[in-house]
Amino acid sequence: MTAIYPGSFDPVTFGHIDIINRSAKIMDELIVGVLNNSNKISPLFSLEERIEMLKDVCAHLPNVRIELFSGLLVDFVNKMGAQAIIRGLRAVTDFETEFQMAQINKSLNDNAETLFMSTSPQFSYLSSSIVKEVAFLGGNVDSMIPDSVRFKLLGKIGRFGKVEKV
Ligand code: PNS
C-alpha cells in the first residue's frame, strides 16, 4: 500500500520523524507531501529548505520519498496513486481537527482513507511551532529536532550556538 504523510514541516521535528519511520515499516511506499500553499502565516523555511531537510532525515529509508503538493490533499492522493493518508495524533486536543479533516477528505475522495498513528509519548508535546518559539527565545531544542535542522533553524534566527541562561 502507498500512503501519503502530509504536512507543512516548518521544520520537520523528531515527532514527524517518529511517524515517518514507523509508517515506512508498515507501508510499501510512503510519500511525504509538503504543502506548498499553506494558509498559515508565512512559513519560516522556504519550500526548498523544508524539502531538503526532509530528504536529509529520510535518506536512510528506501521506500520514502518527498514530494511537494498544492491544492487539495485528496487530489494529491489520487495523483500519487495512494490509498491512505497518515496523520499523527499527539493528544486528545488534536482529535477534533484531525477527525474533521479525515471526514472532509473522505467525503471528497472515498478512496482516501485516513489512518491515525499515535505519537510516541516522548514526542507528544512537540510541534514545529513550539520548537520555533523555544529556539527564538533561546531555549534548548536539542531533544526536539535533528542537528541538521537545528543548525538551519539557529542560522535563520541569527544564532549559531546555545544561549547561556543567567
Ligand atoms: O503540518 P500540518 O499544518 O498539520 O498539515 C496540514 C495539512 C497540510 C495536512 C492540511 O492543511 C492539508 O491537507 N492541506 C491541503 C488543503 C486541503 O486539502 N484542505 C481540505 C482538507 S483539510
Side-chain angles (χ1 to χ4, degrees):
M1 187 187 287
T2 297
I4 307 286
Y5 179 48
S8 312
F9 305 105
D10 185 39
V12 61
T13 69
F14 280 136
H16 296 127
I17 295 169
D18 171 51
I19 300 288
I20 292 171
N21 280 321
R22 289 160 59 206
S23 307
K25 278 191 198 152
I26 299 168
M27 296 295 160
D28 298 311
E29 184 184 30
L30 183 72
I31 299 169
V32 179
V34 187
L35 182 67
N36 189 16
N37 63 343
S38 177
N39 57 5
K40 290 180 175 175
I41 309 143
S42 50
L44 179 65
F45 290 95
S46 70
L47 188 64
E48 293 72 25
E49 288 170 323
R50 286 180 279 149
I51 289 175
E52 191 191 321
M53 287 185 279
L54 275 162
K55 281 191 173 159
D56 185 47
V57 298
C58 295
H60 64 294
L61 299 166
N63 63 337
V64 175
R65 64 190 164 101
I66 320 298
E67 298 282 348
L68 67 93
F69 79 100
S70 49
L72 284 177
L73 173 59
V74 289
D75 291 341
F76 179 61
V77 170
N78 272 349
K79 193 173 150 202
M80 294 291 113
Q83 297 80 42
I85 297 166
I86 307 272
R87 293 291 288 170
L89 275 186
R90 287 166 299 193
V92 77
T93 42
D94 277 344
F95 184 78
E96 206 168 307
T97 329
E98 293 296 333
F99 193 62
Q100 183 189 32
M101 224 157 77
Q103 289 188 322
I104 291 173
N105 286 333
K106 179 80 176 153
S107 76
L108 291 169
N109 176 356
D110 197 39
N111 297 319
E113 294 290 350
T114 299
L115 306 178
F116 293 116
M117 185 170 274
S118 59
T119 303
S120 299
Q122 68 269 34
F123 304 126
S124 62
Y125 59 90
L126 267 187
S127 71
S128 299
S129 315
I130 216 84
V131 170
K132 284 182 282 190
E133 180 166 345
V134 171
F136 269 107
L137 297 173
N140 187 328
V141 290
D142 291 7
S143 62
M144 304 177 194
I145 47 178
D147 285 348
S148 56
V149 175
R150 185 163 49 87
F151 294 139
K152 288 206 165 65
L153 178 57
L154 296 181
K156 277 263 171 211
I157 63 182
R159 285 182 291 106
F160 294 91
K162 284 179 227 165
V163 169
E164 296 298 327
K165 291 274 168 70
V166 284

